[in-house]
């Protein structure tokens, strides 16, 4: 693929692998319920991760499939995005720096593919967190993403240090 881009935007030389992981933060503090109930409330929080990484060559890229909430009364909008990454491709051996990416409100990790793929070609492992934000139909819950984001990011960083990405 030929890219007409400024120097820092040009891709590197590595091929790109992508995988999806799900992790569960057991006993996660629920900030909204804790405030409302005036005591610490915990529960399990499942996070979907999209992970881009430098990969060995081979395989065919698969488009990303995602959906976003729409303003009422419209339903969620499903879409596909082109991809340069190969699902579950064999990773390049060695140690790689890690970047954690947190998407915008009510978004999807696939929307971060433009930077995840680019950084993977340059030797980085990029982990995009799916935060499972409330949709536009739940405007009274807009504060929740601000409270969940730092907790989700800290937990993913902890899990990476504990070996979540071993082998990548």
């Amino acid at each position: 693929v030929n890219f007409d881009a400024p120097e820092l935007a040009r891709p590197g030389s590595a091929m790109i692998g992508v995988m999806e992981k799900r992790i569960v933060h057991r006993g996660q503090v629920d900030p909204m319920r804790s405030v409302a109930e005036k005591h610490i409330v915990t529960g399990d929080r499942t996070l979907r991760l999209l992970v881009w990484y430098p990969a060995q060559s081979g395989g065919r890229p698969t488009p990303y499939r995602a959906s976003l909430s729409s303003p009422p009364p419209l339903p969620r909008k499903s879409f596909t995005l082109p991809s340069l990454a190969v699902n579950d491709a064999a990773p390049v051996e060695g140690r790689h720096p890690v970047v954690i990416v947190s998407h915008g409100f009510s978004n999807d990790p696939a929307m971060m593919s433009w930077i995840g793929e680019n950084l993977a070609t340059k030797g980085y492992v990029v982990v995009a967190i799916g935060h499972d934000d409330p949709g536009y139909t739940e405007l009274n819950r807009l504060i929740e993403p601000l409270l969940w984001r730092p907790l989700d990011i800290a937990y993913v960083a902890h899990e990476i240090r504990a070996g979540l990405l071993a082998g990548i």
Side-chain angles (χ1 to χ4, degrees), residues 130-144:
H131 296 285
D132 195 25
D133 295 333
Y136 286 102
T137 59
E138 302 171 90
L139 294 177
N140 60 326
R141 296 178 55 205
L142 289 177
I143 192 74
E144 286 182 41

Side-chain angles (χ1 to χ4, degrees), residues 35-99:
V35 169
E37 297 180 22
K38 296 182 172 59
H39 64 90
I40 300 297
V41 177
T42 63
D44 293 349
R45 181 163 167 85
T46 300
L47 298 172
R48 181 174 63 98
L49 308 176
L50 204 52
V51 182
W52 293 277
Y53 54 92
Q56 298 177 26
S57 60
R60 170 176 234 117
T62 304
Y64 301 101
R65 298 187 194 311
S67 67
L68 298 175
S69 64
S70 300
L74 301 172
R76 289 186 70 81
K77 179 66 176 167
S78 295
F79 58 94
T80 59
L81 292 172
S83 171
L84 300 174
V86 175
N87 282 336
D88 299 317
V92 170
E93 291 185 23
R95 293 176 51 99
H96 307 283
V98 175
V99 175

Side-chain angles (χ1 to χ4, degrees), residues 12-34:
S13 59
M15 301 301 292
I16 310 162
V18 64
M19 68 174 66
E20 187 173 307
K21 289 185 168 285
R22 291 192 184 276
I23 60 173
V24 179
H25 188 173
R26 305 224 182 268
Q28 165 81 29
V29 171
D30 184 325
M32 292 297 287
R33 286 188 54 209
S34 294

